[in-house]
Amino acid sequence: MTTFIWIAVAIVLIGIYLSWTAGRLDRLHARIDAARAALDAQLLRRASVAQEVGTSGVLDPAASIVLYQAAHEARQAEEDHREVAESELSQALRAIFAEEAQLEAVREAPGGEQTVAELTAAVRRVPMARRFHNDAVRAARAVRRHRVVRYFRLAGHAPFPLAFEMDDEPPAVLDDRSAGN
């Protein structure tokens, strides 16, 4: 009878551990979903502000076209091409704002200071949002690699989390961190 009690206790403890691990994994997947939503919002905000600058008429025509097209492609990209489109927007922003003169042209336009502030905030928040998302993905992947999680299929039918890899380096003139160095 004592053996039966010990086996029952062991089964209950294993069940509790499995339940706790499944709950942890579920919370990590929810964290990934929230971080991805925040990243999507920041990417959309950056593309919207860039598109606004591209259509404002304050940049030279070639820069306006390049910026508008890159922002439009980033906003309209399918999920499997999104990382490339967002990287191309980052490259377009760096190319256009490589010189301080373009930024000054935006600043001198009516409402330009506010537009520059919005663009600066947008390009600075994208790397942070991407870092939070990728950290959540890394944590979920670490838990999903455990044998217990794989053997008991504690992840259920949730897809394996993927990091969002893109070029998110802001233009030097819009990066407040480079101004302080």
Side-chain angles (χ1 to χ4, degrees):
M1 190 63 158
T2 307
T3 306
F4 178 72
I5 292 174
W6 283 112
I7 291 173
V9 168
I11 290 173
V12 167
L13 289 177
I14 290 170
I16 290 172
Y17 174 74
L18 292 176
S19 175
W20 175 81
T21 304
R24 178 175 178 221
L25 193 54
D26 185 53
R27 288 188 301 278
L28 285 171
H29 281 278
R31 184 174 146 208
I32 289 171
D33 291 342
R36 182 58 189 242
L39 175 61
D40 287 342
Q42 293 307 321
L43 291 171
L44 180 62
R45 180 173 182 229
R46 179 181 76 151
S48 297
V49 173
Q51 202 168 17
E52 180 182 320
V53 170
T55 58
S56 66
V58 297
L59 301 176
D60 63 78
S64 292
I65 290 171
V66 167
L67 187 59
Y68 176 80
Q69 285 181 338
H72 180 73
E73 288 298 320
R75 289 182 69 174
Q76 301 299 320
E78 296 292 326
E79 194 59 38
D80 53 341
H81 298 309
R82 181 107 186 260
E83 294 171 347
V84 173
E86 294 294 347
S87 294
E88 288 173 355
L89 177 56
S90 295
Q91 293 164 2
L93 285 166
R94 280 198 309 273
I96 290 165
F97 292 109
E99 300 173 9
E100 188 81 29
Q102 294 282 27
L103 189 64
E104 288 306 315
V106 174
R107 265 197 187 107
E108 291 170 2
E113 284 295 330
Q114 181 180 0
T115 302
V116 169
E118 287 177 23
L119 187 60
T120 301
V123 300
R124 288 188 67 216
R125 288 182 178 146
V126 166
M128 288 187 293
R130 189 175 74 85
R131 200 170 307 122
F132 288 140
H133 175 267
N134 288 349
D135 287 346
V137 166
R138 204 171 3 267
R141 282 180 171 182
V143 172
R144 285 183 72 149
R145 282 191 191 107
H146 288 96
R147 282 189 195 119
V148 172
V149 173
R150 288 194 322 259
Y151 293 159
F152 287 98
R153 297 186 48 85
L154 297 180
H157 297 290
F160 194 74
L162 299 173
F164 194 87
E165 298 300 333
M166 65 171 271
D167 174 6
D168 60 6
E169 184 69 28
V173 296
L174 294 177
D175 190 12
D176 291 343
R177 295 170 294 181
S178 65
N181 293 335

